[in-house]
Amino acid sequence: MSPRDTSFHTSGDTLLDVRGLTVRTDDGRVLVDDLSFTVASGERLGLIGESGSGKSLTTLALLGLLPDGMTATGSVELAGTQVVGAPEKRLTAVRGRDAAVVFQEPLTALDPLMRMGRQIAEPLARRTGLRGRELNSAVTEALVRVRLSEPDRIARAFPHEISGGQRQRVALAMALACDPGLLIADEPTTALDVSVQAEMLDLLDTLVREREMAVLFVSHDLAVVAKVTDRVLVLKDGRAVEEGPVLDVVTAPRAEYTRALVAGARKLESALDLRSPR
Amino acid sequence: MTLPAAPLKETEPTESNAPVSRRRRSATLWAGCSLTALIVLLALLSLVWLPFDTDDTSGGRLAGPGDGHLLGTDKLGRDLFTQLMTGARIAVQAGLGSVAVAALVGVTLGVLAAFAQGWLDDTLAAFLDILIAFPTLLLAMLVVAARSATLSSAILAIGLAQSAVVARLVRILVKRVLARDYVTAARTSGTSWPRTVAGHVLPNIWPTLVVNLALQFGLAVLAEAGLSYLGLGAPPPNASWGRMLQEAQATFTTAPAGALAPGILLVVLVVGVNLIADGLRDTLDPATRRRRT
């Protein structure tokens, strides 16, 4: 565990301040219920919960990207900008710059008809204003940074032409391209097989530490979250059931649901060899 | 490792790594292109050279081939081949024009409908459904009747009728693409809506759209022939295949060439374009390109 484990209360100003975030469908169902948490700059927060617990919706709500038919109430302040109810124009400025997302399934998160170099170049060009040759070398650099060994080939390839692990690295490179203050990783390793998962986690961890970037790591997998975060927030049915330093939560879970989660993770851990790639 | 500036030329095929060369086209596409090219060449040639004047009635009535008349003459003594050539030009014009109108109106309406919500979405969808339920030819006849019987009215009429089909297709395609993660991903990286549509949505509906537009081209050619057959297409002396068919109908048993020739060319063009559409389907999608190795 890093020394940062104990320093999360003092590690700088609040980057993300969520207060009473509630997501409702138009027909009145409450999907995320009165959620409050903060992420300080450089802090790494894990968001744990089973599928349907509102994790992914929360991440989308943070950037004002809820699907049609859902509305968010409460307050989400991202780097000083109020996201809830903000006009599209202000949100566009925030997205990518203050927070970027890595999605669960890299194959669907990359445009199948666009060469990957161009997909990375798009946000890069917008933020840096680079063009032509300089932009190309910035793209190559972004790919090298995520430890892709053949950046030039990857830049020219279409998503279906490279492996799942490589795709997720490209997606990570895209997210990191604009040096966001907060990286939102929505189950970034779930779609990868176990060996690639570990590599990806290491990479993510290293890159984030290098840049002192804040991370919101969303996962259903307690073991994964414990590896890369300082603090966790446990969600169940859209409600926060427990929050605390990751070590405390794993060693001494208070909420019943968390206890079940920890026990489950232990069982899984011991059966890790039998786990088949998803 | 060294980092040379990566050449990110989007339009050029990557020589070394691309799984399939873009130059490899399906046989269907080739066949379609050849058939269509035949008609297009006739049409282009008609712009600069015709064997006879379009209103030259000097040939004998319903004469057989000979005396400079490659296919003989019609009942007014006009050269059949000359009429076929101008007919080719009109067919190609009608196809291109209608598809242009259909694409412009259809894609705009379709994208708008895909983004519209609530009552606007419902209204647009219902409007498009009604428009589609209306027979193309009937709609075209209404437009032609309201304006005048010229080629441009026919093109406008056919194009508008087809734009409903295109719009409905585009609406569904756009909605489907908008639900994809890569659109959300683009949005999370701060891409604005117009840029997302131009950069991710349109390119991803393009393969399906272009195939559909090619099919619409064939249908437009047929619709124009239909209108002309009813006397609602391009006015004389511009011979359209449809009108040639109608004029040759009465004398079909004695001089079948007058009806067969435009009929065959019509089939050649429509089949050609449909084959192109079929071939494009295989070649446009990079994923299918890979599968064909």
Side-chain angles (χ1 to χ4, degrees):
Chain A
M1 282 288 131
S2 78
R4 276 209 254 155
D5 282 354
T6 50
S7 63
F8 65 85
H9 283 303
T10 53
S11 64
D13 16 313
T14 308
L15 185 66
L16 176 68
D17 189 358
V18 179
R19 266 173 218 197
L21 175 68
T22 303
V23 177
R24 275 194 194 84
T25 58
D26 286 349
D27 51 17
R29 278 184 303 135
V30 176
L31 301 176
V32 176
D33 191 5
D34 195 19
L35 194 62
S36 299
F37 60 92
T38 60
V39 179
S41 52
E43 191 192 3
R44 305 174 305 161
L45 175 70
L47 203 58
I48 307 183
E50 59 202 358
S51 54
S53 60
K55 302 169 304 208
S56 292
L57 277 182
T58 306
T59 61
L60 290 177
L62 295 184
L63 290 170
L65 279 171
L66 284 175
D68 290 344
M70 292 182 197
T71 41
T73 50
S75 156
V76 173
E77 241 175 69
L78 180 59
T81 309
Q82 178 57 249
V83 172
V84 176
E88 190 66 25
K89 211 166 191 174
R90 201 181 313 154
L91 292 176
T92 309
V94 168
R95 293 171 191 151
R97 185 192 65 194
D98 293 322
V101 186
V102 182
F103 287 93
Q104 172 171 357
E105 179 49 78
L107 184 58
T108 59
L110 294 169
D111 189 333
L113 295 183
M114 201 186 265
R115 289 174 204 278
M116 267 153 326
R118 225 181 109 201
Q119 300 199 39
I120 298 173
E122 212 173 70
L124 256 180
R126 203 165 39 239
R127 295 296 174 212
T128 60
L130 291 178
R131 260 154 211 276
R133 199 164 289 249
E134 286 174 349
L135 182 59
N136 290 345
S137 50
V139 167
T140 312
E141 216 175 286
L143 289 170
V144 170
R145 232 177 289 145
V146 291
R147 317 274 193 275
L148 278 166
S149 54
E150 298 170 283
D152 293 338
R153 184 181 73 87
I154 304 262
R156 281 196 304 264
F158 287 104
H160 68 261
E161 292 170 352
I162 59 171
S163 75
Q166 286 173 324
R167 276 197 287 265
Q168 193 58 296
R169 281 164 195 250
V170 171
L172 184 60
M174 266 174 83
L176 295 178
C178 301
D179 255 319
L182 172 69
L183 180 71
I184 300 174
D186 187 358
E187 306 245 13
T189 57
T190 309
L192 306 173
D193 55 43
V194 181
S195 56
V196 185
Q197 244 184 42
E199 261 174 55
M200 190 69 201
L201 280 179
D202 276 347
L203 174 67
L204 201 124
D205 202 37
T206 322
L207 288 175
V208 161
R209 278 164 193 274
E210 271 171 13
R211 293 145 181 255
E212 305 205 348
M213 199 176 274
V215 179
L216 182 64
F217 195 101
V218 179
S219 180
H220 65 275
D221 192 336
L222 191 61
V224 167
V225 170
K227 228 180 206 165
V228 291
T229 59
D230 311 316
R231 204 157 55 92
V232 291
L233 180 71
V234 183
L235 275 185
K236 180 164 170 49
D237 300 330
R239 228 170 284 191
V241 292
E242 184 160 2
E243 187 186 356
V246 75
L247 212 58
D248 297 0
V249 172
V250 172
T251 50
R254 284 179 314 238
E256 194 180 325
Y257 174 65
T258 321
R259 247 175 268 147
L261 212 59
V262 171
R266 290 256 155 74
K267 231 177 274 168
L268 259 183
E269 198 81 350
S270 60
L272 193 64
D273 297 332
L274 299 174
R275 195 147 55 143
S276 60
R278 272 187 48 172
Chain B
M1 86 169 288
T2 52
L3 300 176
L8 282 174
K9 287 184 198 125
E10 192 58 31
T11 47
E12 282 178 18
T14 50
E15 290 88 1
S16 51
N17 299 305
V20 178
S21 155
R22 279 190 187 203
R23 268 172 233 117
R24 188 191 290 187
R25 301 273 192 244
S26 69
T28 344
L29 194 57
W30 270 119
C33 282
S34 331
L35 289 180
T36 311
L38 209 71
I39 306 294
V40 171
L41 280 179
L42 268 186
L44 287 176
L45 188 61
S46 80
L47 292 173
V48 289
W49 177 82
L50 288 169
F52 289 85
D53 238 23
T54 41
D55 45 5
D56 180 353
T57 53
S58 61
R61 305 180 69 194
L62 294 174
D67 199 12
H69 299 290
L70 204 57
L71 291 171
T73 59
D74 70 356
K75 60 184 175 191
L76 294 176
R78 292 174 300 190
D79 179 48
L80 264 184
F81 195 71
T82 306
Q83 295 196 56
L84 282 181
M85 282 174 70
T86 53
R89 195 189 75 223
I90 285 172
V92 172
Q93 270 180 342
L96 286 179
S98 308
V99 165
V101 172
L104 198 72
V105 179
V107 172
T108 314
L109 264 183
V111 171
L112 283 180
F115 275 93
Q117 278 156 24
W119 65 270
L120 188 60
D121 188 22
D122 296 341
T123 315
L124 273 171
F127 173 70
L128 291 180
D129 281 341
I130 292 171
L131 215 53
I132 287 167
F134 223 75
T136 309
L137 212 55
L138 199 57
L139 193 73
M141 283 167 69
L142 281 176
V143 174
V144 170
R147 300 187 66 201
S148 55
T150 61
L151 182 59
S152 54
S153 322
I155 286 174
L156 189 69
I158 298 166
L160 283 180
Q162 291 187 330
S163 66
V165 182
V166 175
R168 191 168 66 165
L169 177 75
V170 167
R171 172 174 172 271
I172 292 165
L173 290 175
V174 169
K175 281 206 158 190
R176 200 188 302 162
V177 171
L178 285 182
R180 293 288 170 84
D181 283 349
Y182 55 82
V183 170
T184 315
R187 307 277 298 133
T188 59
S189 74
T191 313
S192 63
W193 269 129
R195 276 177 162 272
T196 309
V197 170
H200 295 285
V201 177
L202 288 184
N204 273 288
I205 69 168
W206 177 244
T208 320
L209 181 63
V210 84
V211 168
N212 187 262
L213 288 181
L215 291 173
Q216 297 293 342
F217 182 100
L219 291 175
V221 168
L222 286 177
E224 193 279 328
L227 278 179
S228 296
Y229 183 87
L230 297 170
L232 297 168
N238 299 303
S240 146
W241 291 341
R243 211 182 58 245
M244 290 177 72
L245 280 170
Q246 192 264 325
E247 281 171 359
Q249 201 172 13
T251 54
F252 180 70
T253 42
T254 47
L260 280 180
I264 288 171
L265 288 198
L266 199 57
V267 170
V268 167
L269 180 57
V270 173
V271 168
V273 173
N274 283 0
L275 286 178
I276 289 182
D278 214 31
L280 280 178
R281 209 193 315 262
D282 298 339
T283 43
L284 274 181
D285 179 12
T288 17
R289 269 211 296 273
R290 179 184 56 164
R291 249 176 270 132
R292 289 179 52 243
T293 26

